[in-house]
Amino acid sequence: MNATASIATRHDWSLAEVKALFEQPFNDLLFQAQTVHREHFDANRVQVSTLLSIKTGACPEDCKYCPQSGHYNTGLEKQKLLEVQKVLQAAADAKAIGSTRFCMGAAWKHPSAKDMPYVLEMVKGVKALGLETCMTLGKLDKEQTAALADAGLDYYNHNLDTSPEFYGNIITTRTYADRLETLAYVRDSGMKICSGGILGLGESLDDRANLLIQLANLPEHPESVPINMLVKVKGTPLAEEKDVDPFDFIRTLAVARIMMPKSHVRLSAGREAMNDQMQALAFFAGANSIFYGEKLLTTVNPQANKDMELFARLGIKPEEREEHADEVHQAAIEQALIEQKSSEQFYNAAV
Ligand code: SF4
């Protein structure tokens, strides 16, 4: 394939085509991904979201990578559904440090009738702060999906995790078909979809390709595609899994960018283990969204300041929400620019 060829938005990818993308020389793949990226996005903007765990641990599902599963003993501190007011305070804090989207995650199989009213209040409250809203609450039925959409939820996150072929090795308590059904309800309700997967579960190249095919061959591409790198947590069955080759991770981001050219590809869990150089390469491969803030559900996330410093060093700016592209990031950007100036001064003095 010509590395510079523009690729139309498609929904009919075959395994052979996707493997051919993966198997290109690394530089050709990255050049192609960056070319596609620039056709649809400002290459120097990255969208920033903050993620808050609103209910932690004791999940009845058995996802083998997850410290929140009640099936494994990881010593994780459980926490009941947070009070609405605490969630709204966390959202206000996230806005103050420059986030444009506030994601709320609950470790549930599905939301219960008892919890739904609180969840809907959280959506309305966060929305009223001028933030985009995203939730991940497990499987949804049609009524719950409609209620969330009515409350103003912008995005629903529901990851496919891996290929349909490998899925049974990782989760046995929820089917792949269940996941696709929830995604279809979300799409029908008019909400945007956030759906991606995890690398490092012991999956093959075909599994990575088939995961991306599942996402890209949906009738509409998910607006947001998180690509996670397994965070190995002691006590989970995947704690001793082999590390992902960093270049294979970057290749997966690049192939996702090419296959879903208009989606935000999110560099997600596992970012803490990546050095600045790898994150820079990830942005070059087409990743243009990160989680920002102190914690990513239950695992450590690089601190917000460190992220802003890296942005400043790379000349990247946080993407602004179209509706209020004014004051939201100003403080964060100004701070990052000050820090960039002082690091330039240090660099100039040192050479
Ligand atoms: S990944 Fe989600 S559904 Fe699976 S065990 Fe963890 S919290 Fe539960």
Side-chain angles (χ1 to χ4, degrees):
M1 186 179 294
N2 178 350
T4 59
S6 169
I7 292 187
T9 304
R10 292 176 46 189
H11 303 269
D12 59 352
W13 290 92
S14 70
L15 181 59
E17 285 175 312
V18 178
K19 281 179 77 173
L21 286 176
F22 268 102
E23 286 164 357
Q24 292 181 85
F26 189 73
N27 284 344
D28 288 349
L29 174 59
L30 256 64
F31 180 62
Q32 190 181 6
Q34 177 68 199
T35 306
V36 171
H37 189 47
R38 282 169 185 268
E39 283 174 19
H40 301 284
F41 290 101
D42 179 338
N44 301 309
R45 294 258 174 194
V46 170
Q47 188 270 330
V48 291
S49 301
T50 294
L51 177 58
L52 175 72
S53 181
I54 58 170
K55 184 265 171 184
T56 307
C59 182
E61 305 287 353
D62 69 350
C63 311
K64 286 199 170 66
Y65 53 81
C66 183
Q68 301 211 62
S69 168
H71 295 256
Y72 318 123
N73 190 0
T74 59
L76 180 77
E77 204 179 312
K78 301 178 190 74
Q79 177 198 68
K80 289 194 181 131
L81 184 64
L82 285 180
E83 289 157 31
V84 175
Q85 209 41 48
K86 283 194 178 150
V87 174
L88 298 187
Q89 185 55 55
D93 294 347
K95 181 174 171 176
I97 60 163
S99 272
T100 51
R101 192 178 307 161
F102 193 67
C103 306
M104 296 158 267
W108 286 326
K109 188 176 189 69
H110 50 73
S112 69
K114 171 174 78 66
D115 290 321
M116 271 308 275
Y118 299 104
V119 163
L120 297 176
E121 253 189 84
M122 290 173 194
V123 174
K124 288 177 193 158
V126 174
K127 192 94 180 149
L129 290 171
L131 287 158
E132 284 183 317
T133 50
C134 176
M135 281 194 157
T136 181
L137 313 170
K139 185 172 150 61
L140 296 178
D141 63 30
K142 263 190 190 167
E143 291 67 36
Q144 289 171 328
T145 315
L148 288 166
D150 285 350
L153 188 64
D154 297 299
Y155 285 81
Y156 194 74
N157 163 268
H158 202 55
N159 289 333
L160 291 179
D161 286 355
T162 188
S163 69
E165 295 77 14
F166 191 66
Y167 182 83
N169 295 303
I170 303 299
I171 299 129
T172 66
T173 50
R174 172 187 290 161
T175 67
Y176 213 80
D178 284 342
R179 292 188 185 242
L180 291 170
E181 183 185 73
T182 294
L183 291 184
Y185 290 156
V186 172
R187 184 55 86 203
D188 288 348
S189 75
M191 286 189 286
K192 294 176 184 149
I193 290 178
C194 173
S195 185
I198 309 173
L199 268 57
L201 307 175
E203 75 285 346
S204 65
L205 173 63
D206 280 20
D207 292 317
R208 289 176 190 167
N210 279 323
L211 163 69
L212 295 180
I213 288 171
Q214 285 291 322
L215 295 165
N217 288 359
L218 287 169
E220 281 179 69
H221 294 165
E223 283 77 7
S224 181
V225 180
I227 304 290
N228 298 281
M229 187 160 75
L230 176 69
V231 177
K232 291 181 252 184
V233 179
K234 208 165 157 225
T236 60
L238 298 182
E240 304 298 328
E241 210 39 65
K242 241 177 71 200
D243 284 344
V244 180
D245 178 329
F247 295 124
D248 289 344
F249 185 82
I250 299 292
R251 279 180 186 276
T252 308
L253 292 171
V255 174
R257 162 54 60 230
I258 293 165
M259 293 173 71
M260 292 169 275
K262 294 181 185 165
S263 304
H264 277 84
V265 175
R266 178 175 298 140
L267 186 55
S268 215
R271 200 159 63 86
E272 172 66 17
M274 298 173 200
N275 63 23
D276 289 351
Q277 294 87 331
M278 182 165 169
Q279 291 189 57
L281 208 49
F283 297 136
F284 189 75
N288 60 345
S289 173
I290 60 165
F291 276 121
Y292 172 70
E294 298 291 316
K295 284 215 164 185
L296 186 54
L297 284 180
T298 60
T299 52
V300 181
N301 191 32
Q303 295 197 340
N305 277 351
K306 213 172 143 226
D307 291 334
M308 279 301 146
E309 276 169 32
L310 179 61
F311 277 15
R313 285 167 67 204
L314 298 177
I316 287 176
K317 288 188 176 158
E319 191 176 278
E320 292 162 356
R321 261 192 81 179
E322 280 164 24
E323 304 95 280
H324 65 134
D326 39 17
E327 84 288 0
V328 179
H329 298 302
Q330 214 42 48
I333 291 166
E334 277 166 13
Q335 184 59 30
L337 288 174
I338 291 166
E339 280 159 15
Q340 186 189 22
K341 274 221 172 81
S342 51
S343 77
E344 273 166 9
Q345 278 159 8
F346 171 79
Y347 179 77
N348 291 337
V351 290

